[in-house]
Amino acid sequence: MRATQLKIYDSDHEILKLLSGTYIRVTIMVRNEDIPSLASNNQTAARRWVHDNVLEFLPGTMIRGVLVGNEVLSDSSAQSLWLQVVPAMKNIKKALNLHNIHNIKVGTPVAMDIVETTFPPSSGRFRADIPRDEVLLPLLNFLNRTRSFFFLDVYPYFSWAENPSNVSLDFALFRGGNDTVVVDSETGLVYTNLLDQMLDSVVFAMQYLGFSDMRIAISETGWPNTGDLDQPGASVYNAAAYNRNLVTKMMQDPPLGTPARPGVPIPTFLFALYDENRKVGPGTERHWGILRPSGRPAYELNLTGAVPETEYPPLPEPDNNRPYEGNLWCVVATGIRVLDLGPALDFACAAGNGTCDDLAPGGDCYEPVSILAHANYAFSSFWAKYRSTGASCYFNGLATMTTVDPSHGACKVPSVYV
């Protein structure tokens, strides 16, 4: 694939060994649960971590980045980590300096929810609930002093999918050109794509705190190649368009930068190399890969930027670019063994709140007395009751959405209207 950089979400030793002797520069990560020990004042844990996960693999493996934690500032329930992430970063950096290693950047990835608004970009400000003096300024000062990057996980897909009637899909896919532009009324800057708009909102948020030259690196971006029925725009066609146009933009020489930072290169990681077929949650969670779990390409992609989107073979046009409107049910997926349904059925019914009342003897949906029929009802009832609090129609791969009403006779299976 001619990839020149790779980021992994831990420091897996087998992967690091396999990358030895290649030309691929590697960024490794510290798990969130390891941050408290690495932030300790005695620095012992940080030195041990650097020894075990960096020194053991140099110089054969080209480790060039250490990211401490993953989207720590997005988790409001883990505010103690907010105060520990910069001390952990400092200790990792000190441990590297002890061995005269100065070519490894240390940072931490943050999600776009770190800013309160992205439009207009000039109004970008960091979230008010993140302590300015205890968290934001120490983070920015460390990154600035060490000449590292502000690592950003940025997904135009989600911004578009949340408001597809008001945000142009072409604008999100870098296809807008001069026909689809957004102008920042405060600065007069003209935006031809959603990614630049989102990036510059962070640029202005940093500038507001006095950091006008902080460099941005994209630690995650991409587009899902498949999703659930209630997730518009998730398709191979759109994923290929986004990633192909992204690569073309980022590989320009000289660099394009953004309207607020013209000509400034932006190191970028595509999410992800593989589809993650065992990941829980909505359908898009499992389908961001350039490659399928088997290793076969989901679509052609040249990472050098040498092939424009128009020169790739055509792909089938998607039929889900507009949000689905109507009722959806959550039922047992095809090909599932009935024997596997028992634990998931028990889980759904154990949620209470009347989820499975109609499945009780004498209830409207008691008959037919079969695990399959009862699971269809329980899955859909559970999803209808708890979707608003984050429940997905997945059940460890046993369930799928359908537009076909599984109700029968007096049994009315609950649905979700979207």
Side-chain angles (χ1 to χ4, degrees), residues 230-257:
D230 60 349
Q231 296 182 296
S235 67
V236 168
Y237 184 93
N238 291 338
Y242 179 85
N243 283 334
R244 289 167 179 173
N245 289 327
L246 173 78
V247 170
T248 298
K249 170 182 168 63
M250 294 305 180
M251 296 300 287
Q252 290 290 312
D253 187 17
L256 294 178

PDB file of all heavy atoms in Angstrom, residues 230-257:
ATOM      1  N   ASP A 230     -30.182   3.661   9.869  1.00  0.00           N
ATOM      2  CA  ASP A 230     -30.408   5.019  10.355  1.00  0.00           C
ATOM      3  C   ASP A 230     -29.139   5.868  10.341  1.00  0.00           C
ATOM      4  O   ASP A 230     -29.070   6.912  10.994  1.00  0.00           O
ATOM      5  CB  ASP A 230     -30.991   4.996  11.779  1.00  0.00           C
ATOM      6  CG  ASP A 230     -30.086   4.306  12.787  1.00  0.00           C
ATOM      7  OD1 ASP A 230     -29.105   3.654  12.372  1.00  0.00           O
ATOM      8  OD2 ASP A 230     -30.354   4.417  14.004  1.00  0.00           O
ATOM      9  N   GLN A 231     -28.116   5.410   9.593  1.00  0.00           N
ATOM     10  CA  GLN A 231     -26.864   6.155   9.474  1.00  0.00           C
ATOM     11  C   GLN A 231     -26.645   6.536   8.007  1.00  0.00           C
ATOM     12  O   GLN A 231     -26.061   5.771   7.246  1.00  0.00           O
ATOM     13  CB  GLN A 231     -25.695   5.325  10.009  1.00  0.00           C
ATOM     14  CG  GLN A 231     -25.804   5.041  11.504  1.00  0.00           C
ATOM     15  CD  GLN A 231     -24.620   4.265  12.028  1.00  0.00           C
ATOM     16  OE1 GLN A 231     -24.380   3.126  11.645  1.00  0.00           O
ATOM     17  NE2 GLN A 231     -23.872   4.892  12.921  1.00  0.00           N
ATOM     18  N   PRO A 232     -27.099   7.716   7.608  1.00  0.00           N
ATOM     19  CA  PRO A 232     -27.012   8.101   6.199  1.00  0.00           C
ATOM     20  C   PRO A 232     -25.573   8.299   5.737  1.00  0.00           C
ATOM     21  O   PRO A 232     -24.680   8.626   6.522  1.00  0.00           O
ATOM     22  CB  PRO A 232     -27.784   9.425   6.156  1.00  0.00           C
ATOM     23  CG  PRO A 232     -27.645   9.984   7.534  1.00  0.00           C
ATOM     24  CD  PRO A 232     -27.668   8.793   8.448  1.00  0.00           C
ATOM     25  N   GLY A 233     -25.356   8.110   4.450  1.00  0.00           N
ATOM     26  CA  GLY A 233     -24.078   8.448   3.834  1.00  0.00           C
ATOM     27  C   GLY A 233     -22.956   7.478   4.069  1.00  0.00           C
ATOM     28  O   GLY A 233     -21.850   7.669   3.550  1.00  0.00           O
ATOM     29  N   ALA A 234     -23.188   6.421   4.856  1.00  0.00           N
ATOM     30  CA  ALA A 234     -22.133   5.435   5.105  1.00  0.00           C
ATOM     31  C   ALA A 234     -22.131   4.434   3.954  1.00  0.00           C
ATOM     32  O   ALA A 234     -23.006   3.578   3.865  1.00  0.00           O
ATOM     33  CB  ALA A 234     -22.372   4.736   6.435  1.00  0.00           C
ATOM     34  N   SER A 235     -21.161   4.554   3.064  1.00  0.00           N
ATOM     35  CA  SER A 235     -21.121   3.694   1.872  1.00  0.00           C
ATOM     36  C   SER A 235     -19.703   3.611   1.352  1.00  0.00           C
ATOM     37  O   SER A 235     -18.871   4.490   1.616  1.00  0.00           O
ATOM     38  CB  SER A 235     -22.038   4.250   0.775  1.00  0.00           C
ATOM     39  OG  SER A 235     -21.537   5.484   0.281  1.00  0.00           O
ATOM     40  N   VAL A 236     -19.437   2.559   0.608  1.00  0.00           N
ATOM     41  CA  VAL A 236     -18.128   2.399  -0.034  1.00  0.00           C
ATOM     42  C   VAL A 236     -17.856   3.578  -0.965  1.00  0.00           C
ATOM     43  O   VAL A 236     -16.738   4.110  -1.020  1.00  0.00           O
ATOM     44  CB  VAL A 236     -18.073   1.061  -0.797  1.00  0.00           C
ATOM     45  CG1 VAL A 236     -16.841   1.010  -1.703  1.00  0.00           C
ATOM     46  CG2 VAL A 236     -18.036  -0.104   0.181  1.00  0.00           C
ATOM     47  N   TYR A 237     -18.865   3.996  -1.689  1.00  0.00           N
ATOM     48  CA  TYR A 237     -18.718   5.103  -2.640  1.00  0.00           C
ATOM     49  C   TYR A 237     -18.241   6.373  -1.933  1.00  0.00           C
ATOM     50  O   TYR A 237     -17.279   7.028  -2.364  1.00  0.00           O
ATOM     51  CB  TYR A 237     -20.063   5.344  -3.329  1.00  0.00           C
ATOM     52  CG  TYR A 237     -20.049   6.408  -4.404  1.00  0.00           C
ATOM     53  CD1 TYR A 237     -19.841   6.078  -5.738  1.00  0.00           C
ATOM     54  CD2 TYR A 237     -20.268   7.751  -4.084  1.00  0.00           C
ATOM     55  CE1 TYR A 237     -19.839   7.050  -6.734  1.00  0.00           C
ATOM     56  CE2 TYR A 237     -20.262   8.724  -5.062  1.00  0.00           C
ATOM     57  CZ  TYR A 237     -20.049   8.379  -6.381  1.00  0.00           C
ATOM     58  OH  TYR A 237     -20.050   9.353  -7.351  1.00  0.00           O
ATOM     59  N   ASN A 238     -18.914   6.742  -0.842  1.00  0.00           N
ATOM     60  CA  ASN A 238     -18.553   7.972  -0.133  1.00  0.00           C
ATOM     61  C   ASN A 238     -17.237   7.839   0.619  1.00  0.00           C
ATOM     62  O   ASN A 238     -16.457   8.795   0.699  1.00  0.00           O
ATOM     63  CB  ASN A 238     -19.672   8.371   0.823  1.00  0.00           C
ATOM     64  CG  ASN A 238     -20.919   8.841   0.102  1.00  0.00           C
ATOM     65  OD1 ASN A 238     -20.860   9.249  -1.053  1.00  0.00           O
ATOM     66  ND2 ASN A 238     -22.061   8.789   0.784  1.00  0.00           N
ATOM     67  N   ALA A 239     -16.992   6.657   1.192  1.00  0.00           N
ATOM     68  CA  ALA A 239     -15.727   6.442   1.896  1.00  0.00           C
ATOM     69  C   ALA A 239     -14.550   6.570   0.931  1.00  0.00           C
ATOM     70  O   ALA A 239     -13.531   7.199   1.250  1.00  0.00           O
ATOM     71  CB  ALA A 239     -15.724   5.066   2.557  1.00  0.00           C
ATOM     72  N   ALA A 240     -14.691   5.978  -0.252  1.00  0.00           N
ATOM     73  CA  ALA A 240     -13.633   6.085  -1.253  1.00  0.00           C
ATOM     74  C   ALA A 240     -13.437   7.537  -1.676  1.00  0.00           C
ATOM     75  O   ALA A 240     -12.300   8.014  -1.786  1.00  0.00           O
ATOM     76  CB  ALA A 240     -13.975   5.214  -2.463  1.00  0.00           C
ATOM     77  N   ALA A 241     -14.540   8.262  -1.899  1.00  0.00           N
ATOM     78  CA  ALA A 241     -14.430   9.658  -2.323  1.00  0.00           C
ATOM     79  C   ALA A 241     -13.727  10.489  -1.262  1.00  0.00           C
ATOM     80  O   ALA A 241     -12.820  11.287  -1.567  1.00  0.00           O
ATOM     81  CB  ALA A 241     -15.820  10.224  -2.609  1.00  0.00           C
ATOM     82  N   TYR A 242     -14.135  10.326  -0.003  1.00  0.00           N
ATOM     83  CA  TYR A 242     -13.526  11.123   1.068  1.00  0.00           C
ATOM     84  C   TYR A 242     -12.034  10.837   1.190  1.00  0.00           C
ATOM     85  O   TYR A 242     -11.205  11.762   1.186  1.00  0.00           O
ATOM     86  CB  TYR A 242     -14.215  10.845   2.409  1.00  0.00           C
ATOM     87  CG  TYR A 242     -13.605  11.642   3.550  1.00  0.00           C
ATOM     88  CD1 TYR A 242     -14.014  12.944   3.798  1.00  0.00           C
ATOM     89  CD2 TYR A 242     -12.602  11.105   4.357  1.00  0.00           C
ATOM     90  CE1 TYR A 242     -13.445  13.702   4.820  1.00  0.00           C
ATOM     91  CE2 TYR A 242     -12.025  11.840   5.379  1.00  0.00           C
ATOM     92  CZ  TYR A 242     -12.444  13.135   5.608  1.00  0.00           C
ATOM     93  OH  TYR A 242     -11.864  13.875   6.615  1.00  0.00           O
ATOM     94  N   ASN A 243     -11.686   9.571   1.304  1.00  0.00           N
ATOM     95  CA  ASN A 243     -10.285   9.236   1.549  1.00  0.00           C
ATOM     96  C   ASN A 243      -9.402   9.533   0.335  1.00  0.00           C
ATOM     97  O   ASN A 243      -8.251   9.965   0.487  1.00  0.00           O
ATOM     98  CB  ASN A 243     -10.152   7.779   1.970  1.00  0.00           C
ATOM     99  CG  ASN A 243     -10.551   7.570   3.426  1.00  0.00           C
ATOM    100  OD1 ASN A 243     -10.475   8.494   4.237  1.00  0.00           O
ATOM    101  ND2 ASN A 243     -10.988   6.364   3.755  1.00  0.00           N
ATOM    102  N   ARG A 244      -9.909   9.315  -0.869  1.00  0.00           N
ATOM    103  CA  ARG A 244      -9.110   9.639  -2.060  1.00  0.00           C
ATOM    104  C   ARG A 244      -8.856  11.138  -2.152  1.00  0.00           C
ATOM    105  O   ARG A 244      -7.731  11.582  -2.424  1.00  0.00           O
ATOM    106  CB  ARG A 244      -9.832   9.143  -3.308  1.00  0.00           C
ATOM    107  CG  ARG A 244      -9.853   7.632  -3.453  1.00  0.00           C
ATOM    108  CD  ARG A 244     -10.852   7.179  -4.518  1.00  0.00           C
ATOM    109  NE  ARG A 244     -10.853   5.728  -4.684  1.00  0.00           N
ATOM    110  CZ  ARG A 244     -11.713   5.057  -5.443  1.00  0.00           C
ATOM    111  NH1 ARG A 244     -12.651   5.732  -6.122  1.00  0.00           N
ATOM    112  NH2 ARG A 244     -11.653   3.750  -5.543  1.00  0.00           N
ATOM    113  N   ASN A 245      -9.890  11.921  -1.925  1.00  0.00           N
ATOM    114  CA  ASN A 245      -9.724  13.377  -2.010  1.00  0.00           C
ATOM    115  C   ASN A 245      -8.903  13.920  -0.847  1.00  0.00           C
ATOM    116  O   ASN A 245      -8.150  14.890  -1.002  1.00  0.00           O
ATOM    117  CB  ASN A 245     -11.091  14.054  -2.058  1.00  0.00           C
ATOM    118  CG  ASN A 245     -11.805  13.814  -3.377  1.00  0.00           C
ATOM    119  OD1 ASN A 245     -11.176  13.710  -4.421  1.00  0.00           O
ATOM    120  ND2 ASN A 245     -13.129  13.719  -3.339  1.00  0.00           N
ATOM    121  N   LEU A 246      -9.032  13.286   0.318  1.00  0.00           N
ATOM    122  CA  LEU A 246      -8.207  13.676   1.466  1.00  0.00           C
ATOM    123  C   LEU A 246      -6.730  13.453   1.155  1.00  0.00           C
ATOM    124  O   LEU A 246      -5.890  14.329   1.398  1.00  0.00           O
ATOM    125  CB  LEU A 246      -8.614  12.871   2.693  1.00  0.00           C
ATOM    126  CG  LEU A 246      -7.721  13.063   3.922  1.00  0.00           C
ATOM    127  CD1 LEU A 246      -8.046  14.367   4.628  1.00  0.00           C
ATOM    128  CD2 LEU A 246      -7.867  11.880   4.894  1.00  0.00           C
ATOM    129  N   VAL A 247      -6.412  12.269   0.632  1.00  0.00           N
ATOM    130  CA  VAL A 247      -5.015  11.955   0.304  1.00  0.00           C
ATOM    131  C   VAL A 247      -4.481  12.942  -0.735  1.00  0.00           C
ATOM    132  O   VAL A 247      -3.359  13.454  -0.605  1.00  0.00           O
ATOM    133  CB  VAL A 247      -4.899  10.503  -0.196  1.00  0.00           C
ATOM    134  CG1 VAL A 247      -3.506  10.248  -0.775  1.00  0.00           C
ATOM    135  CG2 VAL A 247      -5.184   9.526   0.939  1.00  0.00           C
ATOM    136  N   THR A 248      -5.277  13.228  -1.749  1.00  0.00           N
ATOM    137  CA  THR A 248      -4.854  14.185  -2.765  1.00  0.00           C
ATOM    138  C   THR A 248      -4.557  15.546  -2.152  1.00  0.00           C
ATOM    139  O   THR A 248      -3.549  16.194  -2.478  1.00  0.00           O
ATOM    140  CB  THR A 248      -5.935  14.326  -3.851  1.00  0.00           C
ATOM    141  OG1 THR A 248      -6.127  13.061  -4.494  1.00  0.00           O
ATOM    142  CG2 THR A 248      -5.529  15.354  -4.901  1.00  0.00           C
ATOM    143  N   LYS A 249      -5.415  15.989  -1.248  1.00  0.00           N
ATOM    144  CA  LYS A 249      -5.219  17.287  -0.591  1.00  0.00           C
ATOM    145  C   LYS A 249      -3.956  17.287   0.272  1.00  0.00           C
ATOM    146  O   LYS A 249      -3.132  18.210   0.181  1.00  0.00           O
ATOM    147  CB  LYS A 249      -6.438  17.611   0.285  1.00  0.00           C
ATOM    148  CG  LYS A 249      -6.251  18.822   1.212  1.00  0.00           C
ATOM    149  CD  LYS A 249      -7.482  19.047   2.085  1.00  0.00           C
ATOM    150  CE  LYS A 249      -7.204  20.039   3.210  1.00  0.00           C
ATOM    151  NZ  LYS A 249      -6.849  21.391   2.732  1.00  0.00           N
ATOM    152  N   MET A 250      -3.805  16.276   1.103  1.00  0.00           N
ATOM    153  CA  MET A 250      -2.714  16.280   2.073  1.00  0.00           C
ATOM    154  C   MET A 250      -1.349  15.989   1.450  1.00  0.00           C
ATOM    155  O   MET A 250      -0.316  16.328   2.039  1.00  0.00           O
ATOM    156  CB  MET A 250      -2.998  15.259   3.183  1.00  0.00           C
ATOM    157  CG  MET A 250      -4.200  15.610   4.038  1.00  0.00           C
ATOM    158  SD  MET A 250      -4.065  17.282   4.756  1.00  0.00           S
ATOM    159  CE  MET A 250      -5.589  17.380   5.681  1.00  0.00           C
ATOM    160  N   MET A 251      -1.327  15.390   0.264  1.00  0.00           N
ATOM    161  CA  MET A 251      -0.051  15.050  -0.366  1.00  0.00           C
ATOM    162  C   MET A 251       0.396  16.080  -1.389  1.00  0.00           C
ATOM    163  O   MET A 251       1.373  15.864  -2.108  1.00  0.00           O
ATOM    164  CB  MET A 251      -0.160  13.673  -1.020  1.00  0.00           C
ATOM    165  CG  MET A 251      -0.403  12.529  -0.038  1.00  0.00           C
ATOM    166  SD  MET A 251       0.908  12.350   1.199  1.00  0.00           S
ATOM    167  CE  MET A 251       2.203  11.671   0.166  1.00  0.00           C
ATOM    168  N   GLN A 252      -0.306  17.211  -1.459  1.00  0.00           N
ATOM    169  CA  GLN A 252       0.105  18.263  -2.393  1.00  0.00           C
ATOM    170  C   GLN A 252       1.488  18.810  -2.017  1.00  0.00           C
ATOM    171  O   GLN A 252       1.848  18.933  -0.853  1.00  0.00           O
ATOM    172  CB  GLN A 252      -0.911  19.409  -2.363  1.00  0.00           C
ATOM    173  CG  GLN A 252      -2.254  19.071  -2.978  1.00  0.00           C
ATOM    174  CD  GLN A 252      -2.179  18.904  -4.479  1.00  0.00           C
ATOM    175  OE1 GLN A 252      -1.613  19.726  -5.174  1.00  0.00           O
ATOM    176  NE2 GLN A 252      -2.758  17.827  -4.973  1.00  0.00           N
ATOM    177  N   ASP A 253       2.250  19.137  -3.029  1.00  0.00           N
ATOM    178  CA  ASP A 253       3.575  19.734  -2.840  1.00  0.00           C
ATOM    179  C   ASP A 253       3.699  20.938  -3.764  1.00  0.00           C
ATOM    180  O   ASP A 253       3.694  20.770  -4.987  1.00  0.00           O
ATOM    181  CB  ASP A 253       4.669  18.704  -3.152  1.00  0.00           C
ATOM    182  CG  ASP A 253       6.067  19.210  -2.812  1.00  0.00           C
ATOM    183  OD1 ASP A 253       6.164  20.207  -2.055  1.00  0.00           O
ATOM    184  OD2 ASP A 253       7.043  18.602  -3.290  1.00  0.00           O
ATOM    185  N   PRO A 254       3.749  22.162  -3.223  1.00  0.00           N
ATOM    186  CA  PRO A 254       3.820  22.490  -1.801  1.00  0.00           C
ATOM    187  C   PRO A 254       2.496  22.248  -1.089  1.00  0.00           C
ATOM    188  O   PRO A 254       1.444  22.161  -1.741  1.00  0.00           O
ATOM    189  CB  PRO A 254       4.179  23.982  -1.835  1.00  0.00           C
ATOM    190  CG  PRO A 254       3.613  24.480  -3.122  1.00  0.00           C
ATOM    191  CD  PRO A 254       3.784  23.359  -4.086  1.00  0.00           C
ATOM    192  N   PRO A 255       2.528  22.159   0.260  1.00  0.00           N
ATOM    193  CA  PRO A 255       1.321  21.847   1.019  1.00  0.00           C
ATOM    194  C   PRO A 255       0.240  22.918   0.838  1.00  0.00           C
ATOM    195  O   PRO A 255       0.534  24.100   0.659  1.00  0.00           O
ATOM    196  CB  PRO A 255       1.809  21.813   2.472  1.00  0.00           C
ATOM    197  CG  PRO A 255       3.286  21.612   2.388  1.00  0.00           C
ATOM    198  CD  PRO A 255       3.715  22.300   1.131  1.00  0.00           C
ATOM    199  N   LEU A 256      -1.011  22.468   0.911  1.00  0.00           N
ATOM    200  CA  LEU A 256      -2.132  23.402   0.800  1.00  0.00           C
ATOM    201  C   LEU A 256      -2.460  24.068   2.129  1.00  0.00           C
ATOM    202  O   LEU A 256      -2.829  25.234   2.167  1.00  0.00           O
ATOM    203  CB  LEU A 256      -3.376  22.663   0.279  1.00  0.00           C
ATOM    204  CG  LEU A 256      -3.319  22.120  -1.141  1.00  0.00           C
ATOM    205  CD1 LEU A 256      -4.620  21.389  -1.468  1.00  0.00           C
ATOM    206  CD2 LEU A 256      -3.075  23.247  -2.134  1.00  0.00           C
ATOM    207  N   GLY A 257      -2.349  23.322   3.223  1.00  0.00           N
ATOM    208  CA  GLY A 257      -2.746  23.864   4.515  1.00  0.00           C
ATOM    209  C   GLY A 257      -4.243  24.102   4.576  1.00  0.00           C
ATOM    210  O   GLY A 257      -5.035  23.430   3.901  1.00  0.00           O
TER     211      GLY A 257
END
